[in-house]
Structures are given as structure tokens and as C-alpha cells.
Amino acid sequence: MKKLVSLLLAAMMLLTIGTSLAEDTSISADLTMWTGTWNDGKMEELLAEFQKTYPNINVTFEYNPWDGMEDKYLASMMSGTMPDIIDMAIAWCIPYAKMGYLINVDELAEKHGIDLEETYYEGSLETGLVDGKHYAIPYRTEVMTIIYNKEIFEKAGLDPEKAPETWADVVEYGKAITALGDGIYGFGLCGYGSGNCTAQVYTLMFSNGVELLNEDQTAAAFNTPEGVEALQFWADMYLKEGIVPSSCLENDNTTNRNLFAEGKLGMYMSASYDLEAIYEANPDIQLGFSTVPVFSDKYPAKAQAGGWDLGITTACEEAERDAAFLFSAWLTNAENAVVFSDTLSANRGSATDPSYTSGDLKPFVDALEYGKPVPGNINMNAITDIIYNESQAVLAGMKDAATALADAEAQVNDLLAQ
């Protein structure tokens, strides 16, 4: 990995570094940044390149593991011990901004020549948008897609170059694949794990025109005929269509990925972060990819987007905010975000990077335009747990989708009213 990072950084030196940024080498600051343990080693190399343009800006990094990261962030906010720059999962950005711990970066972006709307994907920018103002700079994004096994498609009499376009196609293809027998199923459904399960449910809802919360986030918005249709369809792939493994109530995304790599699933839904593990388990597998299907022509394809953003905290001194923005914008420019991101860059300009325009990553880059983040609500984790529990009840045959979403709506509205 370090060798790859070094090669990419060397290649970047042949490119213009942040041409839209004002290269004021007199700016001086000593900054602190918190990020994930997965970036240990990478950040020092990136900083060394940054300092060739801004030699008087130094950054000290602290690396945090995923487990306990959000708790540590919240504790630092409450105790007034925040760093200057904070690396955040997208679901945390708007709540942190609404709590008053992130600064609005619009004026800094204008001052340093960055057009945020032109630079970053719309869905990624939405994750830091509060009352029309931006409180985070996106750098990493991923969007759910359909991943399928071309060899299994051929064995089932399906065209390996023709991916499913509608959810009805998924069922049709899934039945043909499941008919092969030998423990092979058509589709990998995640019935276990709050995040994994709801990522599928939300994606089906989004593709059916459903919003999770109303515009001002004061009430649930998912209990609609389209929401009921999406949830019931998701569950019926297991309950009625029989194209899903019988263990689906215990299957999370890792389980489905492993089953897929073993040749026991024809299709499942995930993002580019699974590719390395699939090829490691099955180097000869022939993969196909597709943007998530739609229900009809009425609504466009939409899929839950994940990712990470950078925020400048209110603990950052006024005199050092220019430096904090310059480093954040540099990390997230079209060239550097390819290195900084562990998945895909949230910068539109990265789409032409050679590593993105050929091979398996291209379909995932193309899918970024369809990404839709969950609402940035401080209660979103609890809301997701509610919808997860109700979705499991439907999958277990204990409730139908209409009852489950009505029950979920009441719980979410009670939560939001507190």
C-alpha cells in the first residue's frame, strides 16, 4: 500500500496542484487533524507534498479506530478538546454542524477560488448542507450497485452483458439462477446488521421516489404507498419469490460477499470496497456491474450513498482557518482525493483519473451521479435502528410492510418530537 501511495504521489507532482487555490506561501499555522487508523502513514506522505507549496503550514495527525470513533468525537466536542480538522463519516456532519461544532466553509471556498457545487458531487455536498450553507468538504464517496457473476448468468441462460434494469428483472433473473440448484441463489439480501439491512431498504425506497423524513426533518416521510411497495418487494424476494438464501435473516453484507465469491450467489448489492476481497477469494471470477434497478419510469435510479467528509471545527482559531481550509481543499482536489479516499473520490474531476476510467472501478464512478445520502439528522442512527427492526419483522413474516412502516412512523415521530 505504501508503495502504491508513493507512486501515486509521484505522479501527482506532474500535475497542477490545486490550481484554483491561492498559493500564498506566507500563510503559517500549526494544525491538528483527527482521522481514521486506516490513514496512518498515508497522511504524512500527503502532508509532505502539500508543504512543497505551503511550507509554513504543519499538521499533526491523530489516528482513531472505527470502533469508538464517534463516541470520542462527541466527547471531545462536549469537553472543548476538538482538533482543528475532523474526518467524519457523512452521517455525522449535519448533526455536528447543527450542534454548533463545525464552521461554515462557503466564504473560505469563495476566498480561495473553489466553486463547491462545480467541484464535488451533489449528493456528497448534501451531507454537509444546513440551511443552504456548507459545513463540510467531501472527499470519499461510494454508492450501492448491483454486482453479478457473469459465469452464473451464462449457466442460467442469461445474457452476461445484460444487467437487470428493473427490480422485476432482478426477480426474473434471480429465479433463473436459483433454478440451477446446488445451493445457488439469485440475490443476496441483507437481513442482519442495521446498516447493511437498511442500506438495501433505503436504496429500494429511494429508487421508488421515497424520502425518509419531511423537508424540515420534523416527521417521518417514508410511510407512503411507494415506501410500502419498496419494503414489501424487498422482503418478498425471500418470502415469496425464493431467490434469496434461507439464512438471510442472519446474513450481513460480509456474509453475502463471501457467498458471492464462493459462487453461491448470482447477484448482490454493494460498492467498490468489496472488490479486493472478492478477487482475493476467487481470482478467476468474472464480474458484471449495474446501476441499481428502478421500479418504473416514474422515478430515476437512486442508491444510498456513503462516504466521508472533512470539517473545520469551531475550535480552530480564526487566524488558522485559512490554513485549515487550504489543507482540506488540497486533500480533496481531483488528484489528491484519489489517493486520500479508500474508495472513490467525491470530486467530480477525479472521474477522468486513469485508475477510474478503466477496469472495474468505472461502473462505480458512473454510479456516483445516482447517490443519495440519508438525512443528516442527529437522530438518524436511532431512526435507522427503528426501520431495521421493523424491516426484520417483515422479513420474518411477523408483519406486512404496511403495518411495519406505520409502526416505524409512529416511533420515529415520537423520537423527533422529543
Side-chain angles (χ1 to χ4, degrees):
M1 175 60 74
K2 288 186 177 180
K3 181 178 180 182
L4 175 59
V5 170
S6 297
L7 289 172
L8 286 169
L9 288 169
M12 284 175 355
M13 292 306 296
L14 300 176
L15 301 170
T16 301
I17 299 177
T19 54
S20 56
L21 294 175
E23 295 185 359
D24 184 352
T25 58
S26 66
I27 295 177
S28 177
D30 287 308
L31 305 171
T32 55
M33 176 177 171
W34 286 4
T35 185
T37 51
W38 49 90
N39 286 326
D40 194 353
K42 180 193 301 183
M43 300 309 300
E44 285 78 9
E45 293 191 43
L46 285 164
L47 177 62
E49 293 298 331
F50 174 76
Q51 288 178 326
K52 291 178 180 179
T53 305
Y54 299 100
N56 299 314
I57 299 175
N58 188 52
V59 186
T60 300
F61 303 102
E62 181 173 321
Y63 300 101
N64 301 280
W66 170 251
D67 290 340
M69 179 183 279
E70 186 177 16
D71 290 339
K72 179 175 180 178
Y73 282 14
L74 289 170
S76 76
M77 291 171 181
M78 300 302 176
S79 64
T81 57
M82 294 180 292
D84 298 301
I85 303 170
I86 195 166
D87 189 355
M88 306 167 289
I90 59 173
W92 308 342
C93 299
I94 291 176
Y96 292 175
K98 288 184 174 180
M99 293 163 68
Y101 295 119
L102 300 178
I103 70 165
N104 168 22
V105 298
D106 289 304
E107 289 186 6
L108 287 167
E110 183 177 0
K111 177 179 179 180
H112 294 288
I114 301 292
D115 186 326
L116 297 174
E117 285 78 9
E118 291 293 327
T119 302
Y120 305 100
Y121 289 106
E122 179 181 0
S124 297
L125 273 180
E126 285 179 10
T127 63
L129 192 64
V130 178
D131 297 330
K133 297 179 179 179
H134 299 95
Y135 288 83
I137 305 173
Y139 72 90
R140 169 178 167 174
T141 187
E142 53 261 358
V143 171
M144 303 287 284
T145 65
I146 297 290
I147 304 175
Y148 65 92
N149 185 316
K150 289 186 175 183
E151 184 177 2
I152 290 179
F153 266 44
E154 285 190 295
K155 288 181 179 179
L158 301 170
D159 183 348
E161 304 305 325
K162 183 173 173 55
E165 296 179 358
T166 67
W167 284 108
D169 289 342
V170 171
V171 171
E172 179 185 345
Y173 289 19
K175 287 182 176 179
I177 292 167
T178 306
L180 293 172
D182 197 27
I184 300 173
Y185 287 88
F187 184 77
L189 190 148
C190 288
Y192 180 75
S194 179
N196 290 168
C197 174
T198 55
Q200 291 192 345
V201 172
Y202 291 167
T203 292
L204 267 74
M205 285 184 169
F206 292 162
S207 289
N208 211 23
V210 178
E211 298 290 339
L212 297 181
L213 301 178
N214 64 3
E215 188 171 352
D216 61 4
Q217 298 188 3
T218 58
F222 50 76
N223 186 20
T224 64
E226 291 83 2
V228 171
E229 179 186 22
L231 178 57
Q232 194 66 59
F233 188 97
W234 173 80
D236 281 348
M237 287 192 283
Y238 166 61
L239 295 171
K240 292 184 177 181
E241 306 298 351
I243 65 171
V244 170
S246 58
S247 58
C248 70
L249 274 162
E250 290 82 43
N251 291 0
D252 60 10
N253 186 72
T254 300
T255 305
N256 285 335
R257 184 194 70 207
N258 293 339
L259 288 171
F260 180 83
E262 293 166 8
K264 296 301 183 182
L265 283 179
M267 300 174 284
Y268 85 118
M269 191 160 57
S270 192
S272 59
Y273 44 70
D274 271 357
L275 294 180
E276 183 176 356
I278 292 171
Y279 282 124
E280 183 176 344
N282 188 349
D284 297 324
I285 195 169
Q286 298 296 310
L287 299 181
F289 309 99
S290 169
T291 302
V292 292
V294 297
F295 278 94
S296 67
D297 293 339
K298 187 175 181 181
Y299 299 107
K302 288 290 180 183
Q304 181 177 333
W308 288 74
D309 296 350
L310 296 179
I312 301 172
T313 74
T314 50
C316 185
E317 298 289 342
E318 289 274 357
E320 297 191 326
R321 291 181 180 180
D322 281 290
F325 179 83
L326 287 171
F327 185 59
S328 299
W330 187 87
L331 285 174
T332 63
N333 74 22
E335 295 80 31
N336 300 331
V338 174
V339 179
F340 185 32
S341 170
D342 284 334
T343 53
L344 296 173
S345 165
N347 190 307
R348 294 178 187 273
S350 301
T352 59
D353 187 273
S355 65
Y356 287 1
T357 55
S358 61
D360 288 341
L361 285 182
K362 187 177 187 307
F364 294 97
V365 175
D366 293 342
L368 296 181
E369 294 288 355
Y370 303 98
K372 181 177 175 67
V374 298
N377 186 282
I378 196 168
N379 295 298
M380 199 60 219
N381 287 341
I383 291 168
T384 288
D385 286 341
I386 289 169
I387 295 175
Y388 168 55
N389 291 333
E390 294 298 332
S391 298
Q392 276 202 318
V394 178
L395 199 61
M398 299 168 60
K399 298 182 180 182
D400 61 21
T403 302
L405 287 190
D407 290 346
E409 179 183 42
Q411 295 173 67
V412 169
N413 286 346
D414 284 346
L415 178 66
L416 293 173
Q418 293 176 12

